[in-house]
Amino acid sequence: MTENSQAQPAANPELPTQYAPAEVEGKLYERWVERGYFEADEKSGKPPYTIVIPPPNVTGSLHLGHAFEHTIIDALTRRKRMQGYETLWQPGMDHAGIATQNVVERELAKEGKSRHDLGREAFVERVWQWKEESGGQISGQMRRLGDGVAWSRERFTMDDGLSDAVQTIFKRLFDDGLIYRAERIINWCPRCLTAISDIEVEYQDDDGELVSIKYGDGDETLVVATTRAETMLGDTAVAVHPDDERYAHLVGRRIKLPLTDRTIPVVADTHVDPEFGTGAVKVTPAHDPNDFEIGRRHDLPNVTVMDERAVITTPGPFQGLDRYEARSAIVAALRADGRIVAEKRPYVHSVGHCSRCKTTVEPRLSLQWWVKVETLAKEAGDAVRDGRVTIHPKEMESRYFAWIDNLNDWNISRQLWWGHRIPVWHGPNGETVCVGPNEEPPTGEGWHQDTDVLDTWFSSGLWPFSTLGWPEQTPSLEKFYPNSVLVTGYDILFFWVARMMMFGLYAMDGTPPFHTIALHGMVRDQFGKKMSKSFGNAVDPLDWMDKYGADAVRFTLARGANPGVDVPIGEDWVQGSRNFANKIWNATRFAMMNGATVEGPLPDASEMSATDRWILSRLNETVAQVDALYEDYQFAKLSDALFHFAWDEVFDWYVELSKTTFFAGGEQAKVSGRVLGEVLDVTLRLLHPIVPFVTETLWTTLTGKESVVVADWPADSGFRDQAAEREIEHLQQVVTEVRRFRADQGLQSGQKVPGRLDLSATPLAAHEAAIRQVLRLQAAGDDFHATATLPVAGATVALDLSGTIDVPAERKRLTKDRDAAEKEKQQAVAKLGNEAFLAKAPDNVVDKIRGRLSKADADIERITAQLAALPES
């Protein structure tokens, strides 16, 4: 769609006196959706611009992290749409295997049932039912925020089409020998009863215990330390470093394992650090990843001592105890046997917990499905190294390489019922058959499908192309792949991003899934602390949107969005952004009431005042600056640039300086009205991607056109007027200094005082009426008595503050200021008179000191004149 080429009369040129976000946001959003502004047409001849939403969990709700990320993506796509691109912001949700299964299992527990009471098929049906009724509330919240996604293309990772994509790539990888089944140590959650990925493990410092245990007797004694004494029942060796002479005589011998009838060997392995502890470590291959590797190198047996619920299975006195009960009982037994050498409690150490249920994770030997990542990871690394994919900010590249270049094989199987079931059938005699879409699985006695499902990251790794119809070669896939940019948090660079890179390059013949990876930080509270319900500082963005409007929340988040850096945010900042939205509203409303118009061409520069030429010059400079910052993903800087241009230069300076022109009427008022209309038109379009609702209302009212959503993005016309900029900067110096003086005297900003202006030594004579307007200076009558005279920037401003000024306080303030200027001058003179300093100091440092001296002299002259102008107290 394109904007209407001709301005239409505004349906309602009158704006309400106040902006009420709640009354307009919902209606505007539904209008945008109904008109199809956010849909993407693969038949369009426009260049494509594609971004996928990082699919939120179907169980989730919109938190500030989502709002932050969505604001960035929405701003990018809105701008590109205005620039004439066929934009696709692809929406959808993730089935979130563990999280969703846990939610439904909790619902069943309220009924006194478990999933096993229902059986697998009925339980999965129950999850689908929950998904339809309760899942996906986040889509409604996205509408509240103003997300311009293509809703007709919304996908779910367990849709039929995406499920076909999962089955297709699994079979291809399997047939290529890149998927295999093997026993390895994995992260196991004894509560969720499944393997979990590294990203689903949260580490925190826990109070534990460190016990030192004596293994063997006499000359065959070794001491090992452990925080998990219960695992000693599964020890199959003690390891020492090959070069550790203390234990050289024991290597190859067997020693007694306490509390058991077994003996275990002493092995030499370079993994052991001889400087740490006693230099000897217990080896439990079935319950520790490092020990598992030692066990493989030395052909040690794997002895599993706990079941899936972390209950001890080893026959004997500890059988049937859970791991914590067993830990206490085993330490007590060792103590009674004289085997405890030392005990340390509490012993604070980092412990992994399941991110879903907070249960302590147990390393466990398990038969699982794996992706062989060596070649896939190399391709993913090469794509960044050779420039096919750019990571922004660039300093994040090293973190990416550190991960992708050292990636271990990926455990993709989960012991759940909800998810993509692994498409492998096992036969009665150990046969294994992988089945692709539209292929019939083997049947007959003894054949059964693998019971595991795939890791959620497996399906979300296909997201950039599965959502476009792959494995079918669809028009959407041809048009919109690869994605233009991926916007996501640096915290999942190693997990989701790496998997998309590997799968995209593998499935799409070496074409990476996106050109750019734009990484952002995490949203934190105003003190820089992580937001969490447990910390009591979590914020529901809907609460802030209800109070301040979606635009205020969006603008606050955008102003904090420095690439790859965490974002602190507090409610007072949202209040400030609400004030900005109100400022835009009130100033635009005032301007429209006073002649701002977009009708007709811009007047020739020769017809404009210096103030008109200045604001147009600044406008074009801002357009260029904002464009450059968008291309560099510098949202904080571009938002700040827009804020200061709109609030300071347009509303506080240009509108104020033009009031006398508007009030006077005539041809110059028409010229300035057209200039102001142009400035508002462009400024509202520049602001629209970040604050879409208030700008839509104002822009359509100002221009009478269809919608700013489909308006043209502003272009830098090239117009610059440095002379006008210098002239207005000179004016601003005069006004700012007098305003400061007024504020120091305690005068209210709107309080009028008599004043005389002498602008003869400046180029500002044509601006006297405007200067008087902004400084609230009345004409000097016959009874005028100058109580203060301010020489500033070549101008002289005399004020009659009779009855309003505290002369003693002003004299004291000015004297203090002059003393400070004198001190500054003395320091500068001393340095400039020091030959040794001048010989060594760089030219720029010397020039800076000379500048300080010049300023100090000017300050002393100015303040002395002000003191002389004060009446006798």
Side-chain angles (χ1 to χ4, degrees), residues 493-724:
L493 172 64
F494 311 135
F495 304 101
W496 186 45
V497 178
R499 282 147 176 71
M500 285 190 290
M501 286 285 284
M502 290 190 295
F503 279 169
L505 290 160
Y506 174 78
M508 300 301 292
D509 299 321
T511 302
F514 19 72
H515 298 301
T516 301
I517 301 168
L519 298 170
H520 59 73
M522 304 296 102
V523 177
R524 297 182 179 272
D525 71 13
Q526 58 189 320
F527 306 108
K529 189 175 181 180
K530 178 181 177 181
M531 284 192 172
S532 167
K533 290 182 180 178
S534 61
F535 295 155
N537 62 350
V539 173
D540 183 346
L542 292 181
D543 292 341
W544 281 355
M545 283 190 267
D546 287 342
K547 291 176 69 174
Y548 307 112
D551 286 333
V553 175
R554 290 170 62 114
F555 194 71
T556 303
L557 292 166
R559 285 194 82 179
N562 288 298
V565 178
D566 289 346
V567 183
I569 184 172
E571 186 168 0
D572 55 336
W573 302 338
V574 187
Q575 292 174 354
S577 295
R578 186 269 315 275
N579 294 343
F580 179 51
N582 288 342
K583 181 78 170 182
I584 299 170
W585 181 273
N586 293 334
T588 304
R589 182 173 179 273
F590 171 85
M592 293 176 63
M593 291 172 60
N594 287 275
T597 179
V598 296
E599 295 181 6
L602 272 176
D604 188 79
S606 62
E607 302 177 47
M608 298 180 191
S609 67
T611 310
D612 295 333
R613 298 194 304 276
W614 163 74
I615 196 62
L616 288 176
S617 183
R618 293 296 307 131
L619 175 68
N620 281 287
E621 181 61 37
T622 301
V623 171
Q625 182 183 10
V626 168
D627 274 334
L629 292 170
Y630 258 115
E631 295 305 315
D632 199 33
Y633 302 97
Q634 296 281 358
F635 284 90
K637 291 182 179 179
L638 73 88
S639 299
D640 213 45
L642 285 170
F643 174 87
H644 287 295
F645 175 71
W647 190 306
D648 298 343
E649 296 186 288
V650 179
F651 302 141
D652 276 359
W653 283 106
Y654 182 73
V655 170
E656 285 297 316
L657 291 173
S658 300
K659 281 183 178 178
T660 53
T661 301
F662 292 137
F663 295 161
E667 287 302 313
Q668 190 57 53
K670 292 180 181 179
V671 170
S672 294
R674 181 63 188 90
V675 170
L676 179 54
E678 181 75 9
V679 171
L680 290 176
D681 172 13
V682 172
T683 301
L684 292 171
R685 283 187 280 153
L686 288 174
L687 284 165
H688 172 73
I690 299 175
V691 284
F693 294 106
V694 66
T695 52
E696 170 79 341
T697 305
L698 293 174
W699 189 85
T700 53
T701 306
L702 172 69
T703 66
K705 296 183 181 180
E706 179 185 335
S707 173
V708 70
V709 177
V710 290
D712 290 335
W713 180 252
D716 175 8
S717 71
F719 177 82
R720 299 290 192 280
D721 192 324
Q722 298 301 323

Side-chain angles (χ1 to χ4, degrees), residues 283-317:
V283 181
T284 320
H287 293 278
D288 183 274
N290 294 321
D291 293 2
F292 178 77
E293 295 302 324
I294 294 175
R296 289 212 299 180
R297 288 193 288 271
H298 297 276
D299 199 25
L300 300 175
N302 300 315
V303 177
T304 300
V305 300
M306 280 181 272
D307 67 11
E308 60 185 9
R309 298 183 185 275
V311 172
I312 301 298
T313 57
T314 304

Side-chain angles (χ1 to χ4, degrees), residues 246-263:
R246 293 173 296 175
Y247 306 119
H249 66 290
L250 291 177
V251 174
R253 299 173 67 175
R254 300 183 73 86
I255 61 175
K256 181 77 164 47
L257 178 64
L259 305 183
T260 74
D261 296 328
R262 293 193 289 123
T263 61

Side-chain angles (χ1 to χ4, degrees), residues 77-112:
T77 52
R78 284 179 183 269
R79 173 174 174 262
K80 286 296 182 180
R81 185 180 296 112
M82 295 171 75
Q83 286 182 315
Y85 286 78
E86 192 64 37
T87 59
L88 169 58
W89 181 8
Q90 173 66 54
M93 288 179 289
D94 194 298
H95 65 280
I98 295 177
T100 306
Q101 180 157 318
N102 281 347
V103 168
V104 178
E105 286 197 83
R106 285 196 295 268
E107 293 297 314
L108 284 174
K110 295 176 183 177
E111 303 171 15

